[in-house]
Amino acid sequence: MQKALVKVKGWGKLSINTKVYPLQTLYSAGYAFMDKAYVYLDTEPGGRVAVWIYPKAKGAKLETLAMEFSEELLNYAHYFSSLKVNAESTKLLLQRALFSAAPSLAKEAEEKEIQDLIKELEQEEKDEQTKAAKKKKRT
Amino acid sequence: MTIPFLVSHKAGRCLKFNKTLYPQETLRRFTEAHGADRDFVLKDEGRSFTVGIKDGTDEEYLDVLQYFLAVRKA
């Protein structure tokens, strides 16, 4: 098993697989760590990212920091995946809330939908006419 | 404190940033914002680029790292 934490001159290096933890997660975890540690990111072979951590507080243990960083990674990975899963529901809820707050918005949306449908039908009719004209020319 | 990932350059020390992880534009903004009090040297190296600070202390190099993460979140 790959050693999780490598210590170099007071710095701790974690090797993170970006297939498991996307970059967005790494940046967010790094940001959450700004008060506790200095964070530097670098690429590594095999789609991995090296996260270098240096504690800001004297006497802070690298092992503890590394474990806290891993926790933060999981926390943000969960946050972003939930965000993705719930995106559609959130959108629907927001729309409903906005519409109930201003009924005119619902009416506007309905009118827009009708206009779009009319345009679509007109376009279809045009396409059919063009097709028929082409057919007539051939015969 | 020693920074293990600082690269030795003929012009001095510098930080090497991978472009995928650190968009060049973000660091250019940092160097522009702090260019009045520090002398920065940016060098494009294909997939990465280097940022050198003339007579830069470790703390000044660490400021660059902090800025990047702070901006990413914002």
Side-chain angles (χ1 to χ4, degrees):
Chain A
M1 196 177 95
Q2 197 171 351
K3 202 179 171 189
L5 177 71
V6 179
K7 291 184 198 173
V8 186
K9 296 172 182 172
W11 287 75
K13 192 184 93 167
L14 287 166
S15 179
I16 311 291
N17 190 332
T18 47
K19 276 185 188 163
V20 182
Y21 296 110
L23 281 183
Q24 199 179 15
T25 309
L26 278 165
Y27 293 139
S28 300
Y31 178 78
F33 251 62
M34 275 180 69
D35 292 336
K36 293 181 196 170
Y38 293 106
V39 180
Y40 170 71
L41 307 171
D42 200 3
T43 46
E44 280 193 329
R48 299 183 83 88
V49 167
V51 181
W52 291 84
I53 303 171
Y54 187 89
K56 282 188 177 176
K58 275 182 186 172
K61 274 193 172 178
L62 266 178
E63 285 84 359
T64 318
L65 268 180
M67 279 192 268
E68 282 174 6
F69 191 85
S70 306
E71 268 186 352
E72 216 54 78
L73 276 179
L74 194 62
N75 172 35
Y76 279 106
H78 174 253
Y79 170 74
F80 288 124
S81 64
S82 306
L83 204 67
K84 223 177 189 177
V85 169
N86 299 329
E88 201 52 41
S89 324
T90 316
K91 197 179 155 191
L92 275 172
L93 284 170
L94 269 172
Q95 273 177 349
R96 190 161 286 187
L98 284 169
F99 284 160
S100 59
S104 62
L105 282 174
K107 208 177 173 186
E108 269 175 36
E110 205 174 288
E111 273 170 17
K112 198 184 174 294
E113 204 172 315
I114 292 168
Q115 290 302 325
D116 287 347
L117 270 172
I118 292 171
K119 268 185 197 169
E120 214 172 284
L121 284 170
E122 280 174 353
Q123 189 60 44
E124 268 176 28
E125 211 173 67
K126 266 185 194 173
D127 290 346
E128 269 173 30
Q129 278 174 354
T130 329
K131 265 185 196 172
K134 276 183 185 172
K135 220 175 185 180
K136 213 176 179 182
K137 263 188 185 177
R138 272 187 221 151
T139 53
Chain B
M1 184 213 301
T2 339
I3 304 178
F5 43 81
L6 271 180
V7 182
S8 290
H9 208 265
K10 55 183 173 188
R13 302 185 307 166
C14 61
L15 266 176
K16 199 169 188 170
F17 291 110
N18 186 289
K19 283 182 186 171
T20 324
L21 300 170
Y22 292 85
Q24 212 168 351
E25 195 44 46
T26 312
L27 285 141
R28 202 188 299 279
R29 261 188 278 149
F30 176 82
T31 52
E32 275 170 11
H34 295 84
D37 36 78
R38 287 172 214 173
D39 206 354
F40 290 104
V41 184
L42 292 177
K43 199 177 165 202
D44 199 312
E45 293 193 345
R47 283 184 185 177
S48 57
F49 60 93
T50 54
V51 178
I53 308 170
K54 201 178 174 189
D55 304 320
T57 62
D58 289 341
E59 280 68 28
E60 283 175 326
Y61 278 107
L62 293 172
D63 278 351
V64 185
L65 304 182
Q66 298 285 85
Y67 176 83
F68 175 78
L69 284 173
V71 167
R72 284 292 315 186
K73 190 72 180 181

